[in-house]
């Protein structure tokens, strides 16, 4: 993106494939150092003095800038680290914002099929449409900067488990008629399931003051 394009603050469309995107680094050790230091500084600074305008800018960051800027810093960080956790939260937000209709469809399917408390923990209304899902994922991300960080991560993990269940069942629906679509939903389900585990582990680490 050019500097001129950035000046308009136009929302940048990013495909769901960015969920898997990796970014090269000339010096991995330096990138890791910067990733961890910026993540710690960002979260600590905002949580110490939670200015509402700053929080809202951070929640809306990917809508304004896409995700490349933070990806270059955080995308290759370990899953159970602070920058890796922030990266997964922003990707989760991006998935919902890019295609809220599909997110709402898989969430509702997961809510019906999944026999657990996860829909309650995630906190979406029943039923949850596209607008409600966008609002929910933004609320979860907002909770990273204000409120209980571990609770925000646990809500995100629950949200991922509901989405994963829904995507898995939708994949089964398409298996006999549209194999490519079935494969795409299966991939989404597996990825979300992995993210659920990562975020739940990060919540436990945060409670022990060990998420760095």
């Amino acid at each position: 993106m050019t500097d001129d394009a950035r000046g308009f603050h136009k929302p940048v469309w990013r495909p769901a494939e960015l969920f898997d995107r990796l970014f090269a680094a000339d010096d991995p050790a330096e990138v890791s150092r910067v990733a961890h230091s910026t993540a710690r500084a960002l979260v600590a600074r905002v949580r110490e003095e939670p200015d509402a305008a700053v929080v809202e800018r951070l929640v809306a960051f990917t809508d304004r800038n896409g995700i490349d800027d933070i990806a270059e810093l955080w995308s290759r960080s370990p899953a159970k680290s602070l920058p890796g956790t922030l990266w997964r939260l922003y990707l989760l937000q991006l998935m919902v914002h890019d295609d809220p209709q599909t997110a709402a469809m898989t969430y509702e399917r997961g809510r019906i099929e999944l026999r657990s408390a996860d829909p309650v923990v995630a906190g979406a209304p029943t039923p949850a449409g596209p607008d409600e899902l966008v609002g929910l994922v933004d609320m979860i991300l907002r909770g990273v900067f204000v409120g209980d960080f571990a609770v925000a991560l646990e809500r995100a993990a629950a949200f991922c488990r509901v989405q994963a269940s829904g995507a898995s069942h939708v994949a089964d629906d398409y298996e006999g008629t549209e194999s490519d679509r079935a494969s795409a939903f299966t991939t989404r389900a597996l990825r979300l399931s992995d993210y659920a585990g990562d975020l739940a582990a990060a919540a436990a680490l945060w409670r022990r003051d060990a998420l760095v």
Side-chain angles (χ1 to χ4, degrees), residues 81-97:
S81 68
L82 184 57
T85 297
L86 294 175
W87 169 241
R88 281 154 180 74
L89 289 170
Y90 272 114
L91 281 181
L92 187 61
Q93 183 199 44
L94 187 68
M95 181 196 77
V96 176
H97 278 232

mmCIF file of all heavy atoms in Angstrom, residues 81-97:
data_model
loop_
_atom_site.group_PDB
_atom_site.id
_atom_site.type_symbol
_atom_site.label_atom_id
_atom_site.label_comp_id
_atom_site.label_asym_id
_atom_site.label_seq_id
_atom_site.Cartn_x
_atom_site.Cartn_y
_atom_site.Cartn_z
ATOM 1 N N SER A 81 2.697 -16.799 23.428
ATOM 2 C CA SER A 81 3.426 -15.593 23.812
ATOM 3 C C SER A 81 2.468 -14.421 23.681
ATOM 4 O O SER A 81 1.406 -14.534 23.048
ATOM 5 C CB SER A 81 4.644 -15.379 22.912
ATOM 6 O OG SER A 81 4.234 -15.048 21.592
ATOM 7 N N LEU A 82 2.833 -13.286 24.261
ATOM 8 C CA LEU A 82 1.942 -12.129 24.170
ATOM 9 C C LEU A 82 1.770 -11.653 22.734
ATOM 10 O O LEU A 82 0.631 -11.457 22.293
ATOM 11 C CB LEU A 82 2.457 -11.003 25.065
ATOM 12 C CG LEU A 82 1.570 -9.755 25.132
ATOM 13 C CD1 LEU A 82 0.156 -10.094 25.595
ATOM 14 C CD2 LEU A 82 2.198 -8.712 26.064
ATOM 15 N N PRO A 83 2.845 -11.461 21.951
ATOM 16 C CA PRO A 83 2.618 -11.045 20.563
ATOM 17 C C PRO A 83 1.876 -12.098 19.750
ATOM 18 O O PRO A 83 1.039 -11.758 18.895
ATOM 19 C CB PRO A 83 4.032 -10.795 20.025
ATOM 20 C CG PRO A 83 4.942 -11.517 20.950
ATOM 21 C CD PRO A 83 4.280 -11.488 22.279
ATOM 22 N N GLY A 84 2.157 -13.379 19.989
ATOM 23 C CA GLY A 84 1.431 -14.424 19.273
ATOM 24 C C GLY A 84 -0.042 -14.422 19.610
ATOM 25 O O GLY A 84 -0.902 -14.673 18.758
ATOM 26 N N THR A 85 -0.354 -14.121 20.860
ATOM 27 C CA THR A 85 -1.752 -14.049 21.292
ATOM 28 C C THR A 85 -2.460 -12.867 20.644
ATOM 29 O O THR A 85 -3.590 -13.000 20.139
ATOM 30 C CB THR A 85 -1.826 -13.935 22.824
ATOM 31 O OG1 THR A 85 -1.276 -15.121 23.404
ATOM 32 C CG2 THR A 85 -3.253 -13.760 23.304
ATOM 33 N N LEU A 86 -1.812 -11.705 20.640
ATOM 34 C CA LEU A 86 -2.417 -10.529 20.001
ATOM 35 C C LEU A 86 -2.630 -10.765 18.514
ATOM 36 O O LEU A 86 -3.658 -10.369 17.953
ATOM 37 C CB LEU A 86 -1.533 -9.305 20.225
ATOM 38 C CG LEU A 86 -1.402 -8.821 21.669
ATOM 39 C CD1 LEU A 86 -0.403 -7.665 21.747
ATOM 40 C CD2 LEU A 86 -2.746 -8.391 22.234
ATOM 41 N N TRP A 87 -1.673 -11.414 17.877
ATOM 42 C CA TRP A 87 -1.800 -11.736 16.447
ATOM 43 C C TRP A 87 -3.030 -12.605 16.195
ATOM 44 O O TRP A 87 -3.821 -12.336 15.279
ATOM 45 C CB TRP A 87 -0.530 -12.448 16.004
ATOM 46 C CG TRP A 87 -0.534 -13.090 14.659
ATOM 47 C CD1 TRP A 87 -0.359 -14.414 14.399
ATOM 48 C CD2 TRP A 87 -0.698 -12.456 13.387
ATOM 49 N NE1 TRP A 87 -0.416 -14.644 13.044
ATOM 50 C CE2 TRP A 87 -0.620 -13.467 12.390
ATOM 51 C CE3 TRP A 87 -0.910 -11.139 12.990
ATOM 52 C CZ2 TRP A 87 -0.743 -13.193 11.037
ATOM 53 C CZ3 TRP A 87 -1.027 -10.862 11.622
ATOM 54 C CH2 TRP A 87 -0.947 -11.884 10.672
ATOM 55 N N ARG A 88 -3.246 -13.613 17.011
ATOM 56 C CA ARG A 88 -4.395 -14.490 16.828
ATOM 57 C C ARG A 88 -5.712 -13.752 17.076
ATOM 58 O O ARG A 88 -6.704 -13.986 16.378
ATOM 59 C CB ARG A 88 -4.256 -15.713 17.743
ATOM 60 C CG ARG A 88 -3.295 -16.743 17.189
ATOM 61 C CD ARG A 88 -2.643 -17.624 18.237
ATOM 62 N NE ARG A 88 -1.740 -18.584 17.601
ATOM 63 C CZ ARG A 88 -0.551 -18.257 17.090
ATOM 64 N NH1 ARG A 88 -0.110 -17.012 17.160
ATOM 65 N NH2 ARG A 88 0.197 -19.179 16.503
ATOM 66 N N LEU A 89 -5.720 -12.861 18.036
ATOM 67 C CA LEU A 89 -6.938 -12.089 18.290
ATOM 68 C C LEU A 89 -7.270 -11.178 17.112
ATOM 69 O O LEU A 89 -8.439 -11.060 16.724
ATOM 70 C CB LEU A 89 -6.776 -11.264 19.565
ATOM 71 C CG LEU A 89 -6.778 -12.069 20.877
ATOM 72 C CD1 LEU A 89 -6.369 -11.169 22.032
ATOM 73 C CD2 LEU A 89 -8.139 -12.684 21.142
ATOM 74 N N TYR A 90 -6.252 -10.535 16.542
ATOM 75 C CA TYR A 90 -6.510 -9.682 15.389
ATOM 76 C C TYR A 90 -6.937 -10.502 14.172
ATOM 77 O O TYR A 90 -7.799 -10.072 13.394
ATOM 78 C CB TYR A 90 -5.289 -8.836 15.053
ATOM 79 C CG TYR A 90 -5.251 -7.517 15.816
ATOM 80 C CD1 TYR A 90 -4.271 -7.268 16.761
ATOM 81 C CD2 TYR A 90 -6.210 -6.533 15.580
ATOM 82 C CE1 TYR A 90 -4.234 -6.058 17.464
ATOM 83 C CE2 TYR A 90 -6.186 -5.332 16.270
ATOM 84 C CZ TYR A 90 -5.202 -5.095 17.209
ATOM 85 O OH TYR A 90 -5.182 -3.907 17.901
ATOM 86 N N LEU A 91 -6.364 -11.692 13.990
ATOM 87 C CA LEU A 91 -6.807 -12.543 12.882
ATOM 88 C C LEU A 91 -8.245 -12.999 13.074
ATOM 89 O O LEU A 91 -9.016 -13.084 12.111
ATOM 90 C CB LEU A 91 -5.887 -13.753 12.750
ATOM 91 C CG LEU A 91 -4.557 -13.538 12.047
ATOM 92 C CD1 LEU A 91 -3.786 -14.843 11.978
ATOM 93 C CD2 LEU A 91 -4.757 -12.981 10.648
ATOM 94 N N LEU A 92 -8.608 -13.308 14.302
ATOM 95 C CA LEU A 92 -9.981 -13.704 14.586
ATOM 96 C C LEU A 92 -10.937 -12.559 14.266
ATOM 97 O O LEU A 92 -11.995 -12.766 13.637
ATOM 98 C CB LEU A 92 -10.092 -14.095 16.062
ATOM 99 C CG LEU A 92 -11.419 -14.701 16.518
ATOM 100 C CD1 LEU A 92 -11.697 -15.996 15.779
ATOM 101 C CD2 LEU A 92 -11.390 -14.941 18.026
ATOM 102 N N GLN A 93 -10.564 -11.352 14.678
ATOM 103 C CA GLN A 93 -11.384 -10.191 14.352
ATOM 104 C C GLN A 93 -11.485 -10.014 12.838
ATOM 105 O O GLN A 93 -12.562 -9.755 12.291
ATOM 106 C CB GLN A 93 -10.796 -8.942 14.994
ATOM 107 C CG GLN A 93 -11.638 -7.684 14.753
ATOM 108 C CD GLN A 93 -10.850 -6.413 14.970
ATOM 109 O OE1 GLN A 93 -9.711 -6.293 14.534
ATOM 110 N NE2 GLN A 93 -11.458 -5.453 15.648
ATOM 111 N N LEU A 94 -10.361 -10.170 12.154
ATOM 112 C CA LEU A 94 -10.335 -9.991 10.707
ATOM 113 C C LEU A 94 -11.240 -10.998 10.004
ATOM 114 O O LEU A 94 -11.953 -10.661 9.053
ATOM 115 C CB LEU A 94 -8.904 -10.139 10.209
ATOM 116 C CG LEU A 94 -8.648 -9.833 8.739
ATOM 117 C CD1 LEU A 94 -8.835 -8.356 8.459
ATOM 118 C CD2 LEU A 94 -7.252 -10.278 8.341
ATOM 119 N N MET A 95 -11.224 -12.244 10.470
ATOM 120 C CA MET A 95 -12.072 -13.273 9.879
ATOM 121 C C MET A 95 -13.548 -12.871 9.931
ATOM 122 O O MET A 95 -14.283 -13.023 8.957
ATOM 123 C CB MET A 95 -11.866 -14.597 10.611
ATOM 124 C CG MET A 95 -12.683 -15.755 10.061
ATOM 125 S SD MET A 95 -12.772 -17.159 11.210
ATOM 126 C CE MET A 95 -13.990 -16.554 12.389
ATOM 127 N N VAL A 96 -13.969 -12.348 11.080
ATOM 128 C CA VAL A 96 -15.370 -11.969 11.244
ATOM 129 C C VAL A 96 -15.694 -10.721 10.426
ATOM 130 O O VAL A 96 -16.725 -10.652 9.752
ATOM 131 C CB VAL A 96 -15.699 -11.750 12.733
ATOM 132 C CG1 VAL A 96 -17.132 -11.251 12.903
ATOM 133 C CG2 VAL A 96 -15.483 -13.037 13.515
ATOM 134 N N HIS A 97 -14.817 -9.721 10.468
ATOM 135 C CA HIS A 97 -15.084 -8.483 9.735
ATOM 136 C C HIS A 97 -15.100 -8.703 8.229
ATOM 137 O O HIS A 97 -15.874 -8.062 7.519
ATOM 138 C CB HIS A 97 -14.021 -7.440 10.088
ATOM 139 C CG HIS A 97 -14.294 -6.713 11.366
ATOM 140 N ND1 HIS A 97 -14.312 -5.342 11.466
ATOM 141 C CD2 HIS A 97 -14.577 -7.164 12.608
ATOM 142 C CE1 HIS A 97 -14.587 -4.980 12.708
ATOM 143 N NE2 HIS A 97 -14.742 -6.085 13.426
#
